[in-house]
């Protein structure tokens, strides 16, 4: 049974570190998959921490779990593009100019 708790701890480490690596390298956006990996990883760390009596780790991972859970709850209604659907790119610091702009013409006096 001890092997199960150790596997949970290592599985949690792999889930959280893989998600962090993928977001940091730009392979994955910090969206639902990232938060789900953090949520699962935190659960596994909680199980492992309780088994070992590592209460600071348990408290930290409960907070990690809650943060991921709230983030997932807030993302539940956000539309994610389907596979192959083109998503417009919005660069940070650049205003969104996709709305309708008035056409200003030059009038010439006759």
């Amino acid at each position: 049974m001890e092997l199960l708790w150790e596997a949970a701890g290592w599985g949690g480490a792999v889930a959280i570190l893989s998600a962090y690596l993928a977001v940091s390298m730009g392979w994955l956006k910090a969206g639902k998959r990232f938060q789900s990996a953090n949520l699962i990883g935190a659960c596994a760390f909680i199980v492992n921490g309780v088994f070992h009596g590592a209460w600071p780790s348990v408290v930290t991972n409960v907070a990690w779990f809650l943060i991921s859970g709230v983030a997932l709850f807030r993302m539940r209604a956000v539309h994610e593009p389907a596979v192959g659907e083109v998503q417009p790119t919005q660069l940070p610091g650049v205003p969104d100019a996709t709305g309708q702009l008035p056409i200003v013409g030059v009038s010439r006096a006759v």
Side-chain angles (χ1 to χ4, degrees), residues 37-72:
N38 278 303
L39 187 92
I40 292 166
C43 287
F45 272 148
I46 291 167
V47 168
N48 183 271
V50 168
F51 175 76
H52 288 290
W55 301 112
S57 177
V58 170
V59 171
T60 301
N61 283 290
V62 167
W64 198 282
F65 170 84
L66 292 173
I67 292 167
S68 296
V70 168
L72 281 167

Side-chain angles (χ1 to χ4, degrees), residues 22-41:
V23 167
S24 297
M25 295 294 118
W27 303 330
L28 180 69
K29 286 183 132 184
K32 291 180 182 178
R33 289 189 292 173
F34 173 73
Q35 294 299 345
S36 296
N38 278 303
L39 187 92
I40 292 166

